[in-house]
Amino acid sequence: MYEGVVQDLIDELGRLPGVGPKSAQRIAFHVLEADPEDIHRLAQALTTVKEKVRFCATCGNIAEEQRCRICADPRRTQEVICVVEEAKDVVAIERTREYRGRYHVLGGAINPIDGVGPDDLRIRELMTRLSDEPINEVIIATDPNVEGEATATYLVRLLRPMGITVSRLASGLPVGGDLEYADEVTLGRAFEGRRAVEA
Ligand SMILES: [Zn+2]
């Protein structure tokens, strides 16, 4: 459709999540018309993030060091771990300022249709932490949708026999959505009103 490199850019942009062909074309033209310095800064940010950012060796959160900011913070209690699907859920929960424990990022949710099973998630790493760290409560904060529920059910079954408190967020989160879209007040309340799962 366009000359080589312009089409290459449109193709690359079109591979980004949430960017359809029309948006890809619009962004490409923005790039063509923008100041070279602005685009250089954007390119630099993309490269730097890939060079510097990795995943925390302990919890799977985004980190610039071996361990993330939260795992490295001695003021965060070690006794409570909140299990979430993605690093962006950590940000959502941090915004509520309700939680002072640590996290464990699974890297997704169980989804048979997409072929994602328990072994594809960081569940083994979670079990290792439970035996190595003085954890006495695991809060399961997966997304309030089908995949999140399936993952939570699986985890409850796995964790209950271990003699630790397993709790779920209180209801009230918008069903079918992502944790990250819940507003701070709702998510904060869901956290505060969390309940231990009965045997
Ligand atoms: Zn971490």
Side-chain angles (χ1 to χ4, degrees):
M1 296 217 260
Y2 290 94
E3 297 279 322
V5 287
V6 176
Q7 189 58 46
D8 288 348
L9 177 61
I10 293 172
D11 292 344
E12 287 304 322
L13 290 168
R15 293 170 59 194
L16 299 173
V19 180
K22 275 196 180 153
S23 302
Q25 190 176 316
R26 201 166 64 231
I27 298 168
F29 274 92
H30 168 79
V31 170
L32 289 175
E33 287 159 14
D35 281 342
E37 303 92 83
D38 289 346
I39 301 308
H40 181 72
R41 231 181 11 254
L42 172 63
Q44 199 67 49
L46 289 170
T47 314
T48 310
V49 86
K50 282 316 281 180
E51 278 166 8
K52 287 204 174 152
V53 180
R54 46 184 156 168
F55 294 101
C56 174
T58 306
C59 76
N61 189 17
I62 287 166
E64 288 193 30
E65 308 287 337
Q66 172 94 353
R67 297 170 85 208
C68 73
R69 202 169 38 81
I70 294 169
C71 285
D73 185 349
R75 291 165 301 179
R76 307 287 299 224
T77 173
Q78 277 200 285
E79 278 94 48
V80 189
I81 266 192
C82 176
V83 177
V84 295
E85 293 180 21
E86 308 283 355
K88 50 190 193 241
D89 301 325
V90 171
V91 176
I93 293 168
E94 286 298 289
R95 269 203 308 259
T96 70
R97 298 167 179 278
E98 285 290 333
Y99 182 61
R100 299 300 301 159
R102 301 185 183 205
Y103 292 92
H104 191 83
V105 181
L106 293 172
I110 294 172
N111 186 344
I113 295 164
D114 288 347
V116 181
D119 291 345
D120 302 309
L121 306 175
R122 300 183 68 255
I123 292 175
R124 208 175 303 117
E125 289 87 340
L126 174 64
M127 302 310 275
T128 307
R129 291 183 72 186
L130 291 175
S131 57
D132 292 353
E133 297 176 32
I135 296 160
N136 55 34
E137 181 184 0
V138 174
I139 303 167
I140 300 174
T142 48
D143 286 345
N145 55 29
V146 176
E147 295 79 21
E149 281 301 312
T151 310
T153 306
Y154 179 87
L155 288 173
V156 165
R157 219 173 284 154
L158 199 65
L159 301 175
R160 278 290 312 167
M162 298 186 71
I164 40 171
T165 303
V166 180
S167 43
R168 300 281 316 265
L169 298 190
S171 51
L173 295 172
V175 175
D178 278 359
L179 205 65
E180 51 165 321
Y181 299 137
D183 68 272
E184 289 147 53
V185 176
T186 308
L187 188 53
R189 276 202 203 114
F191 236 88
E192 220 172 355
R194 69 180 184 265
R195 286 193 191 170
V197 180
E198 300 301 327

